[in-house]
Amino acid sequence: MANDTKMWGGRFTESTAASVEAFSASIQYDSRLYRQDIAGSKAHAKMLAHQGLITDDELEQIVAGLSEIEVEIEAGTFVFRPELEDIHMNIEKTLSEKIGDAGARLHTARSRNDQVNLDTRLYMRDVTAEIIDLLTGVQRSFVGLARKYLGAVMPGYTHLQRAQPVLISHHMLAYFEMFGRDKERLADGLKRINLCPLGAAAMAGTGLPIDREFVARELGFPASTANSMDTVGDRDFIVEFCATCAMIQVHLSRLSEELILWSTEEFKFVELSDGFCTGSSIMPQKKNPDVPELIRGKAGRVVGNLMAVLTLLKGLPMTYNRDLQEDKEPLFDTIDTVSQSLGIMAELLANMEFYTERLATATSGGGYMTATDLADYLVLKNVPFRKAHSIVGQTVAYCLEKAKDLTELSLQELQQFSKVIEDDVFAILSVEGSVNSRVSLGGTGIVRVTEALERAEKMLEAKG
Ligand code: ARG
């Protein structure tokens, strides 16, 4: 007697162990692919009818039945059965129960191996566009900040030591670039996601007269995958996507680190709005930057998910192996975590304020941040750079000893270190002089930053 509870039960005489049923089911998480599964099945059925493998009447019944199922799932009335393992068999079995024989013809020339690959690609195609939009949202917040604070200065750091004065807008637009690269990476990955795998069947293709290009067109794919064996075992596009998302979350984490530092009493460069902070249950005075902390913390799981998928693939022989079912949880967790983090970060940034006066004081007072400008000044007076570097080093040492800033030295004091120094030196020792002298391509001079800002604004406008 066959195991009738299973769609593949024909060759089995005993029923599946309960422990195995629970162990192998993926419906708890792959049910989120229902819309893609239904769209894929409709396209497949259309092709079967077009090729004369099912009748037009059967096609109609299949399409209507699938639409009904979609409505039920969306209404929350559909009963997912773990004994049917996954989303594919839950939908197919219910369809057969609804429409009988026509439903039993749907799986003609198809395997769950190409089906699950299709569903995942369709899902990721949409998600890729959504995450690109979320990245644009973060960029929009940065551009907003860059516009709002155009002209205001802040200390620029290397080694987390004050290095050179920069414009706040320059710092904001640095993040604009960073997240822009993430968008490019996602768009590039989409080329490899956006191929139709259906028709690879179990792994070797099929002898039935199918038309793969028909299905591809029907689902809006520009082309089909090439090799049936590669197709059903391929999850490279998931690895790439998870890698890009890991990069995004790492970028968010670096940004979070800055926001956490900047909102401390020690820095006090920014004020995060109350809506994005939480208090302490014991210390009434506290306002904690939990949101950036959580985003920073979540980088751990997103990077971990990438490792999980890579490790999953390592050692798998061609072609499909059930191991591959394990790709979904890390993928979905990555999508959820990155999407949530990007959305909330965009909002947090849009509601953040810089303490411009404190930043101006931090930039001019202490740190000798215009020391490089003095060296460059000497270079323009024909002093070789290495010599200039040493002269300025000695000048800074003198300042440290006298507890003075570079701007507080008299011309005479400066001339002790180099005779070529003249009255015009004071203009370049000021913060403003320093910032605005940096007009090299990509530099922090206001002319360059204004150009960059306008370019960024145009890019965002074009995207709507
Ligand atoms: N739930 C399965 C997965 O996610 C679908 C494919 C199952 N294929 C099979 N031959 N058992 O991978």
Side-chain angles (χ1 to χ4, degrees), residues 105-349:
R105 290 187 195 279
L106 172 62
H107 212 50
T108 306
R110 186 176 72 169
S111 155
R112 276 186 297 154
N113 298 351
D114 56 350
Q115 189 179 358
V116 69
N117 199 289
L118 171 69
D119 294 4
T120 311
R121 285 171 184 271
L122 286 172
Y123 184 73
M124 289 174 69
R125 192 166 75 175
D126 290 347
V127 163
T128 296
E130 283 163 25
I131 297 185
I132 289 177
D133 282 350
L134 286 165
L135 284 161
T136 304
V138 170
Q139 284 185 309
R140 209 176 285 286
S141 295
F142 277 120
V143 165
L145 288 166
R147 174 56 70 193
K148 179 170 173 192
Y149 293 104
L150 188 60
V153 293
M154 68 183 290
Y157 292 79
T158 62
H159 312 267
L160 201 55
Q161 305 285 328
R162 288 181 185 172
Q164 291 170 336
V166 293
L167 292 180
I168 293 176
S169 309
H170 198 48
H171 200 129
M172 298 300 99
L173 291 174
Y175 280 116
F176 179 88
E177 292 298 318
M178 194 189 255
F179 289 108
R181 288 194 295 277
D182 293 332
K183 295 203 312 193
E184 279 178 29
R185 265 184 283 273
L186 283 172
D188 192 69
L190 188 58
K191 290 191 240 157
R192 287 167 292 282
I193 291 171
N194 204 14
L195 294 170
C196 189
L198 216 62
M203 57 88 106
T206 173
L208 295 168
I210 61 167
D211 182 347
R212 290 192 65 194
E213 294 315 312
F214 181 101
V215 183
R217 265 197 311 279
E218 198 61 36
L219 292 168
F221 287 108
S224 293
T225 57
N227 179 299
S228 62
M229 291 180 76
D230 175 47
T231 298
V232 295
D234 177 22
R235 297 293 183 276
D236 295 359
F237 57 96
I238 298 183
V239 173
E240 279 189 71
F241 177 86
C242 286
T244 298
C245 285
M247 182 93 85
I248 293 172
Q249 197 72 28
V250 165
H251 287 160
L252 287 171
S253 182
R254 293 179 67 176
L255 165 62
S256 294
E257 173 66 13
E258 291 212 309
L259 299 179
I260 292 162
L261 281 173
W262 288 353
S263 56
T264 58
E265 203 52 43
E266 286 73 11
F267 274 82
K268 214 173 174 39
F269 285 180
V270 296
E271 187 69 35
L272 305 179
S273 82
D274 281 5
F276 292 83
C277 293
T278 58
S280 156
S281 56
I282 179 167
M283 297 167 283
Q285 84 284 8
K286 298 264 322 225
K287 174 171 166 184
N288 295 327
D290 294 38
V291 169
E293 285 174 324
L294 279 168
I295 291 177
R296 185 177 61 182
K298 283 174 193 292
R301 61 201 281 169
V302 179
V303 172
N305 289 338
L306 168 63
M307 293 309 130
V309 180
L310 277 171
T311 315
L312 166 67
L313 295 180
K314 177 192 172 298
L316 285 193
M318 286 281 178
T319 54
Y320 179 83
N321 300 269
R322 188 65 180 269
D323 312 46
L324 292 175
Q325 179 167 296
E326 290 289 310
D327 62 355
K328 282 172 210 63
E329 283 170 294
L331 172 65
F332 294 160
D333 183 67
T334 290
I335 291 168
D336 296 345
T337 308
V338 168
S339 304
Q340 231 190 346
S341 303
L342 285 169
I344 201 160
M345 182 56 90
E347 265 187 272
L348 180 144
L349 292 169

Side-chain angles (χ1 to χ4, degrees), residues 69-112:
I69 291 173
E70 189 163 5
V71 170
E72 285 169 21
I73 295 178
E74 253 143 41
T77 55
F78 186 89
V79 184
F80 291 106
R81 288 171 280 181
E83 66 274 20
L84 292 174
E85 288 183 27
D86 55 26
I87 186 63
H88 324 296
M89 292 203 290
N90 266 274
I91 289 178
E92 196 194 321
K93 177 87 172 173
T94 308
L95 182 69
S96 286
E97 287 164 0
K98 279 183 191 293
I99 65 170
D101 263 3
R105 290 187 195 279
L106 172 62
H107 212 50
T108 306
R110 186 176 72 169
S111 155
R112 276 186 297 154

